[in-house]
Amino acid sequence: MNAIQYTAFGTSGVLAHAQVDRPSIVHGNEVLLQVKASSVNPLDLKIRSGMMQGMRPVQLPYIPGLDAAGIVLEIGADVTGFQVGDEVMASSMGGTYAEYLIAKADNIILKPSKISFAEAAALIVPIGTTYSVLVEAGKLQDGQRVLIHGASGAVGLLMVQWAKSLGAYVIGTATGKGLAMIKSLGADEAIDYKTQDFASLVRDVDLVVDGVGHETQTRSFACLKKGGKLLSITMMPNEELAAQYDVEARFVSSNLSAKSLAAGLALVNEGLLQPFVSQTFTLQDAAQAQDLVSGGGVHGKVVLVIDNAQ
């Protein structure tokens, strides 16, 4: 099968097109998918650079990718709820930059018919991350106030929508076209991080979602009310600052299980969440796609569309 893989860590130049054996079902809880689309995530770039080897080691040669939308081709003996031909969405710890993928049934969910394969791939990590932050860890409630940093990014755009569906007052930081985008999605306030000082404009929020890190995270503590929460998807927060401001602060990992995806897809089906695909690339252009993501400033998801699957 066609795949993108690398045999050494480094820049996007290590990504290479390769012909590899099609994977086969080994365990009863597995499903073989024909991949139609896979999104490019910032974590893909971190893994490729080698910086994640201490926390999330991978073996080389490695086929990258964390999510896929595609069609069920084969089903393991213990799998129920799916049948050959189903259009599905799946999360995986690697292997999605390829024509075929073996995924565990617990990480697969039926794709809504109203969205394309590219849109489905664009939703998987944002839904899992948003559910983990706003629902599981943040427990965001109707009437609460939330500050979302990086609100016009792939995850941020979904967070704005989900927070509004929960009845929250949403403040988002963005710049350029991103400001209009988050306002159109219901953000109550849109702060231009290039020309405005969010730390002097925002006070007494219940929750800060940190999608930026570093100085932005540090300056966000002052925006919280006592007892509030700062939840980061980029780096571990400073425990001393958390104690100083009397708030909870922690790093949140994304829950990409079918259970978390189900919560988000229910909102998609209700029309409360919409996916944003910024740009699509062919599988062979994966390096170019990753470079676009690493350059920043992308509103929505960059997706690899695999048209040559047979």
Side-chain angles (χ1 to χ4, degrees), residues 147-150 173 197-200 202-225 228-231 241 245 247 249:
L147 170 62
I148 301 173
H149 288 302
T173 62
D197 178 18
F198 75 86
S200 64
V202 181
R203 284 291 182 274
D204 296 325
V205 295
D206 298 276
L207 174 64
V208 170
V209 180
D210 169 36
V212 178
H214 305 293
E215 182 184 358
T216 296
Q217 182 189 103
T218 300
R219 299 177 69 238
S220 293
F221 282 94
C223 300
L224 284 161
K225 64 170 56 173
K229 298 178 181 179
L230 186 152
L231 302 177
L241 284 175
Y245 285 94
V247 298

Side-chain angles (χ1 to χ4, degrees), residues 38 60 76 85 112 133 169 173-174 179 199 220 229 238 304 308:
S38 176
L60 301 177
V133 173
Y169 183 94
T173 62
L179 294 166
S220 293
K229 298 178 181 179
N238 186 300
L304 302 176
N308 59 342

Side-chain angles (χ1 to χ4, degrees), residues 39-297:
S39 84
V40 178
N41 293 283
L43 183 56
D44 296 341
L45 282 60
K46 294 178 181 179
I47 294 173
R48 186 203 70 209
S49 73
M51 67 181 295
M52 299 297 293
Q53 279 300 91
M55 182 182 303
R56 186 175 288 186
V58 301
Q59 291 186 337
L60 301 177
Y62 178 70
I63 298 174
L66 303 173
D67 49 46
I71 300 171
V72 174
L73 291 185
E74 296 178 17
I75 297 173
D78 300 330
V79 175
T80 59
F82 299 102
Q83 59 186 5
V84 172
D86 281 344
E87 297 183 353
V88 297
M89 302 159 64
S91 63
S92 176
M93 296 311 299
T96 69
Y97 286 25
E99 289 185 296
Y100 301 94
L101 171 73
I102 295 293
K104 293 182 179 179
D106 288 346
N107 294 332
I108 300 173
I109 192 167
L110 292 172
K111 177 183 78 66
S113 59
K114 66 188 294 183
I115 61 175
S116 68
F117 285 113
E119 290 172 327
L123 280 170
I124 296 168
V125 169
I127 282 178
T129 303
T130 299
Y131 180 81
S132 300
V133 173
L134 296 187
V135 179
E136 288 187 324
K139 296 180 172 53
L140 190 63
Q141 302 293 318
D142 183 13
Q144 289 189 321
R145 290 161 51 85
V146 57
L147 170 62
I148 301 173
H149 288 302
S152 65
V155 173
L157 289 170
L158 205 74
M159 283 197 176
V160 169
Q161 298 176 75
W162 203 320
K164 290 305 298 181
S165 77
L166 294 172
Y169 183 94
V170 177
I171 307 166
T173 62
T175 194
K177 295 179 180 179
L179 294 166
M181 289 185 72
I182 65 174
K183 287 291 286 185
S184 71
L185 295 176
D188 299 282
E189 296 181 40
I191 296 175
D192 189 335
Y193 64 80
K194 287 188 176 180
T195 62
Q196 296 175 286
D197 178 18
F198 75 86
S200 64
L201 295 173
V202 181
R203 284 291 182 274
D204 296 325
V205 295
D206 298 276
L207 174 64
V208 170
V209 180
D210 169 36
V212 178
H214 305 293
E215 182 184 358
T216 296
Q217 182 189 103
T218 300
R219 299 177 69 238
S220 293
F221 282 94
C223 300
L224 284 161
K225 64 170 56 173
K226 286 188 176 181
K229 298 178 181 179
L230 186 152
L231 302 177
S232 177
I233 58 174
T234 60
M235 56 185 287
M236 293 294 295
N238 186 300
E239 294 182 3
E240 293 181 359
L241 284 175
Q244 176 184 332
Y245 285 94
D246 193 17
V247 298
E248 176 186 343
R250 58 190 173 101
F251 175 83
V252 178
S253 297
S254 300
N255 176 357
L256 301 182
S257 68
K259 177 183 176 182
S260 67
L261 294 179
L265 292 182
L267 297 177
V268 171
N269 286 324
E270 292 177 35
L272 296 175
L273 294 183
Q274 61 174 305
F276 285 89
V277 177
S278 174
Q279 194 167 337
T280 62
F281 291 82
T282 65
L283 183 64
Q284 288 77 5
D285 291 328
Q288 184 181 349
Q290 286 199 355
D291 286 342
L292 179 61
V293 172
S294 68

